[in-house]
């Protein structure tokens, strides 16, 4: 919620002309008292400390820096202002990642001023905002992720204890020879298990199998020993 004297916005964007035009446009709203501008993360951090905003309007692509870094920092602050991403991209994967990192919404840089202001006030009121055109692709992406996790969970649940041991050895970075030595089995036995794992997971190489296993929660034997 904005302060009584008017909302303070921190605009983080390295395109100076765009930032100046947008700042002037935002100030046409009588409820916004000040728009500070930062072209770098260092400047943004300084302004967050010296003139705390009610809302951070953030571009994720900042020259050689990433706005995701600032999102991560804000997520760990108890008194952090809400963050609303203003991006030139509409990639569902990036939108979902930003929301996972704590962003309260996502807007395209081509958004009309009236819609942008409505989104700003919606987020300042404690809600989230996604433009209607992004809802379907974002939901489609999330549903695909859920299906993938369900399929992976079924894959792991159906493995035999020995297959799971072999998989965890591979995830730990062992070669097939090292797996055979660790499990006291022959190289042929390891090869058979690996071929079965590739077939069950629908992967085409040991590297892809390891990436698939890691992305769905399978840990290496060294990680399990450390628990």
């Amino acid at each position: 919620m904005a302060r009584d004297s008017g909302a303070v916005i921190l605009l983080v964007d390295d395109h100076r002309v765009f930032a100046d035009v947008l700042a002037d446009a935002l100030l046409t709203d009588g409820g916004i008292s000040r728009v500070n501008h930062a072209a770098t993360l260092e400047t943004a951090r300084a302004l967050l400390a010296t003139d705390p905003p009610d809302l951070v309007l953030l571009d994720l692509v900042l020259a050689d820096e990433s706005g995701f870094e600032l999102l991560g920092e804000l997520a760990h602050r108890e008194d952090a202002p809400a963050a609303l991403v203003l991006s030139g991209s509409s990639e569902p994967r990036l939108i979902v990642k930003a929301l996972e990192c704590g962003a309260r919404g996502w807007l395209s840089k081509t958004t009309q001023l009236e819609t942008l202001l409505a989104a700003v006030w919606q987020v300042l009121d404690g809600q989230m905002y996604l433009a209607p055109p992004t809802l379907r692709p974002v939901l489609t992406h999330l549903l695909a992720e859920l299906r993938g996790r369900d399929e992976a969970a079924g894959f792991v649940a159906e493995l035999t204890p020995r297959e799971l041991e072999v998989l965890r050895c591979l995830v730990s970075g062992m070669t097939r020879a090292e797996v055979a030595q660790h499990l006291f089995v022959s190289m042929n036995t390891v090869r058979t298990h690996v071929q079965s794992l590739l077939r069950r997971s629908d992967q085409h190489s040991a590297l892809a199998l390891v990436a698939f296993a890691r992305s769905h929660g399978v840990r290496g034997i060294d990680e399990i020993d450390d628990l």
Side-chain angles (χ1 to χ4, degrees):
M1 181 66 68
R3 63 199 80 183
D4 293 338
S5 58
V8 175
I9 307 294
L10 172 56
L11 174 58
V12 185
D13 194 297
D14 63 345
H15 293 84
R16 185 75 208 195
V17 174
F18 173 82
D20 287 345
V21 171
L22 179 57
D24 289 342
L26 289 169
L27 288 171
T28 62
D29 186 302
I32 297 175
S33 64
R34 196 160 63 258
V35 178
N36 295 325
H37 172 241
T40 66
L41 294 186
E42 181 180 2
T43 303
R45 294 182 184 108
L47 288 169
L48 282 164
T50 59
D51 191 9
D54 298 292
L55 175 73
V56 177
L57 201 53
L58 174 66
D59 188 358
L60 296 176
V61 182
L62 304 167
D64 297 327
E65 299 179 304
S66 171
F68 279 110
E69 185 176 336
L70 187 62
L71 279 179
E73 294 172 14
L74 292 173
H76 290 90
R77 288 178 47 170
E78 293 183 3
D79 59 343
L84 179 59
V85 173
L86 185 62
S87 174
S89 171
S90 58
E91 171 61 43
R93 176 183 58 83
L94 293 178
I95 298 175
V96 171
K97 181 179 178 182
L99 296 177
E100 288 176 338
C101 289
R104 299 297 298 275
W106 183 288
L107 285 165
S108 165
K109 284 192 171 184
T110 60
T111 300
Q112 295 294 316
L113 177 62
E114 182 180 355
T115 302
L116 190 150
L117 286 170
V120 165
W121 285 109
Q122 187 167 317
V123 171
L124 283 171
D125 285 339
Q127 303 177 55
M128 298 186 71
Y129 180 85
L130 283 179
T134 66
L135 289 176
R136 182 171 181 175
V138 165
L139 289 174
T140 298
H141 178 82
L142 288 171
L143 289 172
E145 281 194 341
L146 287 173
R147 283 194 297 269
R149 289 173 187 173
D150 288 343
E151 291 170 2
F155 157 71
V156 173
E158 293 173 359
L159 297 180
T160 66
R162 179 61 85 186
E163 285 174 334
L164 187 54
E165 284 181 318
V166 170
L167 182 58
R168 285 174 173 162
C169 287
L170 293 175
V171 169
S172 294
M174 293 184 184
T175 64
R176 297 188 186 191
E178 289 170 335
V179 174
Q181 183 177 12
H182 179 79
L183 297 178
F184 302 102
V185 296
S186 69
M187 279 285 292
N188 284 336
T189 297
V190 172
R191 188 176 298 111
T192 298
H193 285 314
V194 170
Q195 289 173 346
S196 175
L197 289 166
L198 290 171
R199 184 173 58 256
R200 284 171 178 254
S201 62
D202 195 28
Q203 303 301 310
H204 303 290
S205 71
L207 284 176
L209 172 63
V210 168
F212 175 84
R214 273 205 171 278
S215 68
H216 293 92
V218 178
R219 292 173 297 205
I221 56 172
D222 48 344
E223 297 170 275
I224 295 172
D225 291 341
D226 290 339
L227 294 179

